[in-house]
Amino acid sequence: MELEKDLFGICPYTTAQKVLSGKWSIIILYHLGKKTMRFGELQRQLPDLTQSTLTKQLRTLEENGLIERKIYPQVPPKVEYSLSDIGIKFKKVLAELAIWGNEYIETLKDKNC
């Protein structure tokens, strides 16, 4: 019996870990939390991320309901990504992660002195 599979949708920690499992998920959500962006804009914000990985991460975040993808019927096609309603609620978590991350960085600095 696979424990993680059994707890998905039941345990908040397992569910959050599964939904945010992509290496770049949190950073993508951070950028989309600032504004709606097109693929190219996101790619410029994340230069170390390959096009295929960004595509995969965006699809996963969309499948998990954290972001929305809007396609405009024009030539060439215009696609924009934004946070969904539940993705917007994640902005509070991102703010807390930033606080914790900065505190952790200070701890690292103190250890290296």
Side-chain angles (χ1 to χ4, degrees):
M1 184 170 20
E2 198 175 311
L3 183 63
E4 182 179 313
K5 185 177 180 182
D6 290 344
L7 294 177
F8 181 76
I10 297 168
C11 171
Y13 301 108
T14 301
T15 303
Q17 183 179 29
K18 173 82 170 143
V19 169
L20 300 168
S21 63
K23 177 180 176 181
W24 297 93
S25 296
I26 291 174
I27 297 168
I28 291 169
L29 291 171
Y30 165 75
H31 286 291
L32 291 178
K34 294 191 287 185
K35 67 177 187 168
T36 296
M37 301 177 91
R38 295 176 70 177
F39 187 90
E41 290 177 282
L42 271 169
Q43 201 168 27
R44 282 189 293 279
Q45 293 294 319
L46 306 162
D48 295 334
L49 187 57
T50 66
Q51 182 176 342
S52 62
T53 300
L54 179 56
T55 299
K56 182 180 176 187
Q57 291 280 256
L58 288 169
R59 283 186 186 145
T60 301
L61 288 168
E62 184 182 10
E63 288 168 8
N64 289 331
L66 293 170
I67 66 170
E68 295 175 346
R69 182 173 156 235
K70 184 173 183 179
I71 304 168
Y72 294 89
Q74 64 186 51
V75 178
K78 177 181 174 183
V79 179
E80 291 182 335
Y81 296 91
S82 61
L83 295 180
S84 64
D85 290 342
I86 195 69
I88 291 168
K89 291 180 180 185
F90 189 71
K91 287 173 71 171
K92 292 183 268 186
V93 177
L94 285 171
E96 290 298 320
L97 279 172
I99 292 167
W100 181 85
N102 284 323
E103 289 174 358
Y104 188 77
I105 289 167
E106 287 303 313
T107 301
L108 292 174
K109 287 178 185 175
D110 292 344
K111 287 182 179 181
N112 290 331
C113 291

